[in-house]
Amino acid sequence: MKGADYLECLLTKGKQRIKGEVRVNGAKNAAVAILPASLLTEGAVRIDNLPKITDIGRLVEILKALGAKVTFSEGRCIYIDSSDVHTFSPPPSLVNTFRASYYLMGVLLGRFGKVEIPMPGGCDLGPRPIDQHIKGFTALGAQVELEQGLVKIKAKKLRGAHIYLDVVSVGATINIMLAAVKAEGKTVIENAAKEPEIVDVANFLNAMGAHVVGAGTDVIKIQGVSELGQAEHTVIPDRIEAGTFMIAAAATRGEALVKDIIPKHLDPVIAKLREVGVQLEVGPDWVKVNGNSELCPVDVKTFPYPGFPTDLQAPMMVLLTQAPGISFLTENVFEGRFRHVDELKKMGARIKLGGRTAIIEGGHELISAPLRAMDLRGGAAFIIAGLISHGETIITGVEHIDRGYEQIEERFQQLGVSVERRIISKVFPGK
Ligand code: EPZ
């Protein structure tokens, strides 16, 4: 019943305590690179533990539009055969809708020596340049032109190079890896990002027959190969999704068992939550959160892995509104990643912004207010805010949340709280 006069929203009841357990799905930020990477081989690949989120759905449409044969099997498994892919220009209408489409640059350049693709879209976290991606492609011997919003890249032959990234960038690190695995000779990426998702992508590339060593450190070495073969791969668990549920349990003063995770990937989050006073028990592939304790104000600084993840900055901000006293939250990765602050202030959150630092006066109740999500992590934070506030909260912009969280309302229902997806009339919002 959607249409111009209706919009989808999430409705949360306030003053709820999480009590339950939830399984964590495959990592969005690994899967959105691994799917395009399957185009690097003419062999068939099998990828398991894919999250059922819209970014993945869009990528599958792009792969099909490029000529790949894609079949889903039971559960979360996909088979991709890209032997018939012969075009280097994905459909702009599909590519424009999300940022991770930039991985098609590295992949199509690596496969065909040529790619034409619109500048990447994505959520608004401030400027999101791709100069480091282009620096890497150029170093590998490609010519790059930006023409009316189109990125045109071509290379007679990609040759290994020594690339020193000016900025620690997840996207640039992965994109250069994708272009380099079939380049002639050796590539070294210095000042590389170290996120677990980068390791997962490298493991997938090596499963196809690439020679990537050092992923997860700040120096990655790639020995080019002439061709890649078949592979099977299971995507790692999503540490950001896991952290979101952990923070939600803490903020609602509830208890949660978050399962099927790699605890090591959550070290910075576990450490910081313990500093806040949250009790956590860590198992081999799970973590138990007990938020039923006094919360203390803390100083949080986001940094590239293994620092505190920028993708949990917004959910953490909501938790810190409940810790009596003054907390500081500094966003060191994206300069524009405070768009959720104004929405939270509508709920009575006492937050002051000073440059890259948010100063949070915690310990005051939030009052429900209509919230509009503008990016997926801010949207997830609004769900947490809705669960702890006084009254019912309507959250619009659900399409942002669905990009990175599978069936978010059902996952929170598994955790014992009421989050519902509704269709409301734009004309008569109350209906
Ligand atoms: C990836 O974005 C993730 N997205 C982001 O997750 C995540 O927040 C980010 O890495 C940091 O961990 C995907 O993996 C699809 P960056 P990416 O390149 O690659 C600057 C989410 O919520 N920079 O590591 O775009 C950039 O402006 C999303 O799941 C350059 O200056 O992030 C930023 O300040 C949001 N030049 C910093 O580097 C470049 O060429 C880190 O960006 C590239 C980046």
Side-chain angles (χ1 to χ4, degrees):
M1 187 186 58
K2 294 184 191 175
D5 289 342
Y6 293 92
L7 79 163
E8 209 169 28
C9 71
L10 292 176
L11 181 74
T12 66
K13 285 194 173 47
K15 296 291 190 208
Q16 296 191 76
R17 274 181 186 233
I18 277 179
K19 189 160 180 51
E21 56 183 68
V22 68
R23 179 194 171 276
V24 167
N25 289 327
K28 165 179 90 78
N29 291 346
V32 294
I34 288 169
L35 279 191
S38 65
L39 292 174
L40 284 165
T41 179
E42 302 205 9
V45 300
R46 177 184 185 280
I47 303 164
D48 204 350
N49 198 32
L50 280 175
K52 292 174 185 169
I53 53 178
T54 49
D55 272 9
I56 296 301
R58 288 186 182 122
L59 270 173
V60 168
E61 289 313 304
I62 291 173
L63 295 179
K64 285 179 178 172
L66 289 168
K69 294 186 198 65
V70 182
T71 47
F72 281 92
S73 80
E74 73 295 336
R76 305 169 173 283
C77 190
I78 192 172
Y79 295 87
I80 302 170
D81 172 356
S82 55
S83 51
D84 286 343
V85 171
H86 297 295
T87 168
F88 54 83
S89 169
S93 57
L94 288 173
V95 165
N96 274 324
T97 53
F98 68 115
R99 177 161 181 83
S101 52
Y102 55 35
Y103 291 132
L104 290 160
M105 290 181 204
V107 162
L108 294 172
L109 183 62
R111 167 106 182 236
F112 298 116
K114 193 170 182 182
V115 55
E116 288 186 6
I117 188 168
M119 277 294 278
C123 37
D124 180 2
L125 308 177
R128 298 191 73 182
I130 57 166
D131 58 300
Q132 299 299 302
H133 302 237
I134 290 171
K135 172 178 183 171
F137 297 147
T138 309
L140 292 170
Q143 289 82 43
V144 181
E145 283 169 42
L146 299 180
E147 218 176 272
Q148 284 129 15
L150 259 189
V151 185
K152 295 182 175 180
I153 313 173
K154 60 177 184 285
K156 283 197 183 58
K157 186 156 197 48
L158 291 172
R159 285 192 175 75
H162 198 122
I163 300 155
Y164 204 105
L165 290 178
D166 305 314
V167 180
V168 176
S169 159
V170 171
T173 301
I174 291 178
N175 230 346
I176 295 166
M177 251 185 359
L178 295 173
V181 287
K182 294 174 76 178
E184 190 178 82
K186 182 176 178 181
T187 296
V188 178
I189 307 172
E190 302 239 24
N191 199 24
K194 301 184 278 194
E195 273 67 3
E197 292 76 26
I198 295 169
V199 178
D200 204 31
V201 174
N203 289 339
F204 175 62
L205 293 170
N206 288 340
M208 290 194 288
H211 292 301
V212 182
V213 292
T217 75
D218 59 359
V219 181
I220 298 177
K221 293 176 181 164
I222 300 148
Q223 187 61 43
V225 295
S226 53
E227 65 177 61
L228 297 172
Q230 300 186 348
E232 294 196 354
H233 184 78
T234 299
V235 176
I236 57 168
D238 193 318
R239 62 192 168 98
I240 303 303
E241 181 181 86
T244 304
F245 292 132
M246 289 160 63
I247 292 170
T252 60
R253 325 309 292 279
E255 296 169 39
L257 172 63
V258 181
K259 302 188 299 185
D260 294 353
I261 65 168
I262 299 175
K264 175 77 192 142
H265 293 169
L266 282 143
D267 278 353
V269 182
I270 290 167
K272 193 51 74 176
L273 286 177
R274 282 182 167 145
E275 262 185 65
V276 174
V278 180
Q279 288 153 31
L280 295 141
E281 187 190 338
V282 181
D285 61 354
W286 52 265
V287 65
K288 257 187 208 157
V289 183
N290 184 329
N292 204 355
S293 53
E294 192 59 37
L295 299 180
C296 333
V298 292
D299 182 354
V300 185
K301 293 179 177 65
T302 69
F303 275 110
Y305 191 85
F308 189 89
T310 174
D311 293 344
L312 289 174
Q313 181 251 102
M316 195 69 186
M317 186 178 282
V318 175
L319 172 62
L320 295 178
T321 67
Q322 302 308 298
I326 302 295
S327 291
F328 299 88
L329 217 173
T330 303
E331 173 54 62
N332 291 309
V333 178
F334 288 107
E335 62 185 74
R337 201 169 199 171
F338 279 139
R339 292 189 56 183
H340 43 278
V341 171
D342 284 343
E343 293 295 283
L344 293 175
K345 287 167 79 170
K346 281 161 59 179
M347 302 179 93
R350 302 186 190 189
I351 304 168
K352 281 199 184 66
L353 289 182
R356 283 184 172 252
T357 298
I359 303 165
I360 301 140
E361 183 191 330
H364 307 283
E365 184 176 69
L366 299 182
I367 313 298
S368 70
L371 302 173
R372 172 149 193 72
M374 289 161 279
D375 75 270
L376 69 157
R377 309 305 176 182
F382 294 163
I383 296 173
I384 301 172
L387 291 172
I388 63 176
S389 68
H390 189 81
E392 282 193 343
T393 298
I394 287 188
I395 300 161
T396 52
V398 185
E399 68 278 7
H400 294 291
I401 304 173
D402 291 339
R403 279 190 50 216
Y405 292 94
E406 178 183 330
Q407 293 168 323
I408 191 67
E409 69 277 19
E410 291 177 24
R411 320 289 291 293
F412 274 104
Q413 287 158 15
Q414 286 166 20
L415 287 167
V417 292
S418 160
V419 178
E420 288 171 39
R421 188 178 292 257
R422 292 276 181 86
I423 304 287
I424 55 172
S425 153
K426 274 186 202 168
V427 182
F428 305 103
K431 291 210 181 306

Coordinates of all heavy atoms in Angstrom, one line a residue, residues 28-29 32 99-100 102-103 125 127-133 167-171 195 310-311 333-334 337 376-377, ligand 1:
K28 N 28.0 -6.6 6.3 CA 27.7 -5.8 5.1 C 29.0 -5.3 4.4 O 29.1 -5.4 3.2 CB 26.8 -4.6 5.5 CG 26.7 -3.5 4.4 CD 25.8 -2.4 4.8 CE 26.5 -1.2 5.5 NZ 27.3 -0.3 4.6
N29 N 29.9 -4.7 5.2 CA 31.0 -4.0 4.6 C 32.1 -5.0 4.1 O 33.1 -4.5 3.5 CB 31.6 -3.0 5.6 CG 30.6 -1.9 5.8 OD1 29.7 -1.7 5.0 ND2 30.8 -1.1 6.8
V32 N 29.7 -6.4 0.5 CA 29.6 -5.4 -0.6 C 30.9 -5.3 -1.4 O 30.8 -4.7 -2.5 CB 29.1 -4.0 -0.1 CG1 27.7 -4.0 0.4 CG2 30.1 -3.4 0.9
R99 N 27.0 3.8 -2.0 CA 28.5 4.1 -2.1 C 29.3 2.9 -2.5 O 30.3 3.0 -3.2 CB 28.9 4.7 -0.7 CG 30.4 4.9 -0.7 CD 30.8 5.9 0.4 NE 32.2 6.1 0.3 CZ 32.8 7.0 -0.5 NH1 32.1 7.8 -1.3 NH2 34.1 7.2 -0.4
A100 N 28.9 1.7 -2.0 CA 29.8 0.6 -2.1 C 29.9 0.2 -3.6 O 30.7 -0.7 -4.0 CB 29.3 -0.6 -1.3
Y102 N 31.5 1.7 -5.6 CA 32.8 2.1 -6.1 C 33.7 0.8 -6.2 O 34.7 0.9 -6.9 CB 33.5 3.1 -5.2 CG 33.6 2.9 -3.7 CD1 33.9 1.6 -3.2 CD2 33.5 4.0 -2.8 CE1 34.0 1.4 -1.8 CE2 33.6 3.8 -1.5 CZ 33.8 2.5 -1.0 OH 34.0 2.4 0.4
Y103 N 33.4 -0.3 -5.5 CA 34.2 -1.5 -5.7 C 34.2 -2.0 -7.1 O 35.1 -2.8 -7.6 CB 33.9 -2.5 -4.7 CG 34.2 -2.2 -3.3 CD1 33.3 -2.3 -2.3 CD2 35.5 -1.6 -3.0 CE1 33.6 -1.9 -1.0 CE2 35.8 -1.3 -1.7 CZ 34.9 -1.4 -0.7 OH 35.2 -1.0 0.6
L125 N 27.7 11.5 5.0 CA 28.5 11.7 6.2 C 29.5 12.8 6.0 O 30.6 12.8 6.6 CB 29.2 10.3 6.4 CG 28.4 9.1 6.4 CD1 29.3 7.9 6.6 CD2 27.4 9.1 7.5
P127 N 31.8 15.1 3.1 CA 32.5 14.8 1.8 C 33.0 13.3 1.9 O 33.5 12.9 2.9 CB 33.6 15.8 1.8 CG 33.8 16.4 3.1 CD 32.5 16.2 3.8
R128 N 32.8 12.7 0.7 CA 33.4 11.3 0.7 C 34.2 11.1 -0.6 O 33.7 10.5 -1.6 CB 32.2 10.3 0.8 CG 31.5 10.4 2.1 CD 30.6 9.3 2.5 NE 31.2 8.1 2.8 CZ 30.5 7.0 3.1 NH1 29.2 7.0 3.0 NH2 31.2 5.9 3.4
P129 N 35.4 11.7 -0.6 CA 36.2 11.7 -1.9 C 36.7 10.3 -2.2 O 36.6 9.4 -1.3 CB 37.3 12.6 -1.5 CG 37.4 12.6 0.0 CD 36.0 12.3 0.5
I130 N 37.1 10.2 -3.4 CA 37.8 8.9 -3.8 C 39.2 9.1 -4.3 O 39.7 8.3 -5.1 CB 36.9 8.1 -4.8 CG1 36.6 9.0 -6.1 CG2 35.6 7.6 -4.2 CD1 36.1 8.1 -7.2
D131 N 39.8 10.2 -3.9 CA 41.1 10.5 -4.4 C 42.2 9.4 -4.1 O 43.1 9.2 -4.9 CB 41.6 11.9 -3.8 CG 41.6 11.9 -2.3 OD1 40.6 11.6 -1.7 OD2 42.7 12.0 -1.7
Q132 N 42.0 8.8 -3.0 CA 43.0 7.7 -2.7 C 42.8 6.5 -3.6 O 43.7 5.8 -3.9 CB 42.9 7.3 -1.2 CG 43.2 8.5 -0.3 CD 44.7 9.0 -0.5 OE1 45.6 8.3 -0.3 NE2 44.8 10.3 -0.9
H133 N 41.5 6.2 -3.9 CA 41.2 5.1 -4.8 C 41.9 5.4 -6.2 O 42.6 4.6 -6.8 CB 39.7 5.0 -5.1 CG 38.9 4.8 -3.9 ND1 38.0 3.7 -3.8 CD2 38.7 5.5 -2.8 CE1 37.4 3.7 -2.6 NE2 37.8 4.8 -2.0
V167 N 45.7 8.7 3.4 CA 44.6 8.6 4.4 C 44.3 7.1 4.6 O 44.3 6.4 3.6 CB 43.3 9.3 3.8 CG1 42.2 9.2 4.8 CG2 43.6 10.7 3.4
V168 N 44.1 6.7 5.8 CA 43.7 5.3 6.1 C 42.3 5.1 5.6 O 41.3 5.7 6.2 CB 43.8 5.0 7.6 CG1 43.4 3.6 7.9 CG2 45.3 5.2 8.1
S169 N 42.1 4.5 4.5 CA 40.8 4.3 3.9 C 40.5 2.9 3.6 O 41.2 2.2 2.9 CB 40.8 5.1 2.5 OG 39.8 4.6 1.7
V170 N 39.3 2.5 4.2 CA 38.8 1.1 4.0 C 38.6 0.9 2.5 O 39.1 -0.1 1.9 CB 37.6 0.8 4.8 CG1 36.9 -0.5 4.4 CG2 37.9 0.9 6.3
G171 N 37.8 1.8 1.9 CA 37.4 1.6 0.5 C 38.6 1.6 -0.4 O 38.7 0.8 -1.3
E195 N 40.8 -3.0 8.9 CA 39.5 -3.5 9.3 C 39.4 -5.0 9.0 O 39.9 -5.5 8.0 CB 38.4 -2.8 8.6 CG 37.9 -1.5 9.3 CD 39.0 -0.4 9.4 OE1 40.1 -0.5 8.8 OE2 38.7 0.7 10.0
T310 N 33.7 4.2 13.8 CA 32.8 5.3 13.5 C 31.4 4.9 13.3 O 30.4 5.6 13.6 CB 33.3 6.1 12.3 OG1 32.4 7.1 11.9 CG2 33.6 5.2 11.1
D311 N 31.2 3.7 12.8 CA 29.8 3.2 12.5 C 29.0 3.0 13.8 O 27.8 2.7 13.7 CB 29.9 1.9 11.7 CG 30.4 2.2 10.3 OD1 30.5 3.4 9.9 OD2 30.9 1.2 9.7
V333 N 36.8 10.1 12.0 CA 36.9 9.5 10.7 C 36.2 10.3 9.6 O 36.7 10.6 8.6 CB 36.4 8.1 10.8 CG1 36.4 7.4 9.4 CG2 37.2 7.2 11.7
F334 N 34.9 10.7 9.9 CA 34.1 11.5 8.9 C 33.8 12.8 9.5 O 33.3 12.9 10.6 CB 32.8 10.7 8.6 CG 33.0 9.5 7.8 CD1 32.8 8.2 8.3 CD2 33.3 9.6 6.4 CE1 32.9 7.1 7.6 CE2 33.4 8.5 5.7 CZ 33.3 7.2 6.2
R337 N 29.7 13.5 10.4 CA 28.9 12.4 10.9 C 28.2 12.7 12.2 O 28.1 11.9 13.1 CB 29.7 11.1 11.0 CG 28.9 9.9 11.1 CD 29.7 8.6 11.0 NE 28.7 7.5 10.6 CZ 29.1 6.3 10.2 NH1 30.4 6.0 10.2 NH2 28.3 5.4 9.8
L376 N 22.2 5.0 7.8 CA 21.8 3.7 8.5 C 22.2 3.6 9.9 O 21.4 3.1 10.7 CB 22.3 2.5 7.7 CG 23.8 2.2 7.7 CD1 24.0 0.7 7.3 CD2 24.5 3.0 6.6
R377 N 23.3 4.1 10.3 CA 23.7 4.0 11.7 C 23.0 5.0 12.6 O 22.7 4.7 13.7 CB 25.3 4.1 11.9 CG 26.1 3.3 10.9 CD 25.7 1.8 11.0 NE 26.5 1.0 10.0 CZ 26.3 -0.3 9.8 NH1 25.5 -0.9 10.5 NH2 27.0 -0.9 8.9
Ligands
EPZ1 C1 33.8 2.3 4.7 O1 33.4 3.5 4.1 C2 32.5 1.7 5.2 N1 31.6 1.5 4.1 C3 31.8 2.7 6.2 O2 30.6 2.1 6.7 C4 32.8 3.0 7.3 O3 32.2 4.0 8.2 C5 34.1 3.5 6.8 O4 34.6 2.5 5.8 C6 35.1 3.6 7.9 O5 35.3 2.4 8.6 C7 31.7 0.4 3.4 O6 32.6 -0.4 3.6 C8 30.8 0.2 2.2 P1 37.0 5.3 4.2 P2 34.6 4.2 3.1 O7 37.5 5.3 2.8 O8 35.4 3.2 2.5 C9 38.5 9.7 3.7 C10 28.4 2.0 7.3 O9 27.7 2.6 8.0 N2 38.8 9.4 2.4 O10 37.6 4.4 5.2 O11 33.9 5.2 2.3 C11 37.0 9.8 4.0 O12 36.5 11.0 3.6 C12 29.4 2.7 6.4 O13 28.4 0.7 7.1 C13 39.6 10.3 1.6 O14 39.9 11.4 2.0 O15 35.4 5.0 4.3 C14 36.9 9.6 5.5 O16 37.1 10.8 6.1 C15 29.3 4.2 6.6 N3 39.9 9.9 0.3 C16 38.1 8.6 5.8 O17 39.0 8.7 4.6 C17 39.5 8.7 -0.2 O18 39.8 8.4 -1.4 C18 37.7 7.2 5.9 O19 36.9 6.8 4.8 C19 38.8 7.8 0.6 C20 38.5 8.1 1.9

